[in-house]
């Protein structure tokens, strides 16, 4: 019984090998001519191109879409930072930035021994600020 199984296995493997050879004979290399899409990459024939179309968009938007991303991101971040700062030009600083408040804060931190190794309560900081 065991010997017959081995024979069947070898016959089956021969059959599969013969079928593989027959399939390989039918496979031939075919030359394919690639034609890119008519409206550029990422476009289809039935729809307009994705993204910015040059015919309907302002020139500066088309230029920004073709520029390297880091330049566009840096420019727009700078522009919006300047626009966000404009309302703050005529504002006074908050009271927490006044010299009196900062001195009171330092005294409070020293009294409670906050950050005693490197900070305001260290021996070095106390020696530097002794005149105040």
């Amino acid at each position: 019984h065991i010997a017959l199984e081995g024979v069947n296995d070898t016959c089956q493997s021969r059959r599969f090998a013969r079928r593989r050879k027959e399939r390989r004979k039918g496979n031939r290399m075919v030359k394919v001519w690639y034609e890119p899409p008519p409206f550029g990459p990422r476009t289809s024939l039935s729809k307009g191109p994705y993204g910015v179309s040059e015919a309907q968009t302002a020139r500066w938007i088309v230029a920004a879409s073709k520029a390297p991303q880091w330049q566009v991101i840096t420019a727009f971040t700078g522009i919006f930072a300047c626009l966000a700062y404009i309302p703050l030009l005529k504002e006074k600083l908050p009271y927490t930035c006044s010299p009196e408040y900062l001195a009171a804060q330092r005294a409070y931190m020293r009294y409670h021994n906050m950050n005693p190794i490197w900070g305001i309560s260290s021996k070095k900081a106390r020696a530097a600020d002794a005149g105040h």
Side-chain angles (χ1 to χ4, degrees):
H1 185 277
I2 296 171
L4 290 176
E5 282 182 12
V7 171
N8 280 340
D9 287 344
T10 55
C11 289
Q12 253 183 344
S13 63
R14 285 182 189 157
R15 251 185 281 152
F16 286 128
R18 197 176 322 124
R19 285 184 190 162
R20 269 189 248 125
K21 283 183 185 176
E22 289 171 4
R23 284 189 201 135
R24 279 192 215 139
K25 286 180 185 175
N27 290 342
R28 293 199 175 113
M29 294 294 288
V30 178
K31 200 176 266 190
V32 177
W33 297 97
Y34 173 74
E35 290 185 28
F39 303 112
R42 296 179 298 185
T43 60
S44 89
L45 295 173
S46 60
K47 297 187 247 176
Y50 302 114
V52 179
S53 65
E54 295 184 23
Q56 303 165 352
T57 311
R59 276 186 269 159
W60 68 273
I61 295 177
V62 174
S65 71
K66 292 181 179 180
Q69 284 185 344
W70 70 269
Q71 290 177 349
V72 176
I73 291 170
T74 304
F76 277 93
T77 303
I79 289 169
F80 283 109
C82 291
L83 288 175
Y85 187 70
I86 289 173
L88 302 175
L89 289 175
K90 294 182 181 177
E91 294 290 322
K92 294 190 327 189
L93 288 174
Y95 71 94
T96 54
C97 293
S98 68
E100 297 86 18
Y101 188 89
L102 293 175
Q105 186 180 27
R106 275 197 309 273
Y108 179 85
M109 290 174 75
R110 230 183 254 126
Y111 178 77
H112 290 285
N113 202 21
M114 292 182 187
N115 202 356
I117 298 172
W118 292 288
I120 195 76
S121 296
S122 67
K123 290 178 184 176
K124 186 177 178 182
R126 284 179 187 261
D129 208 21
H132 293 275

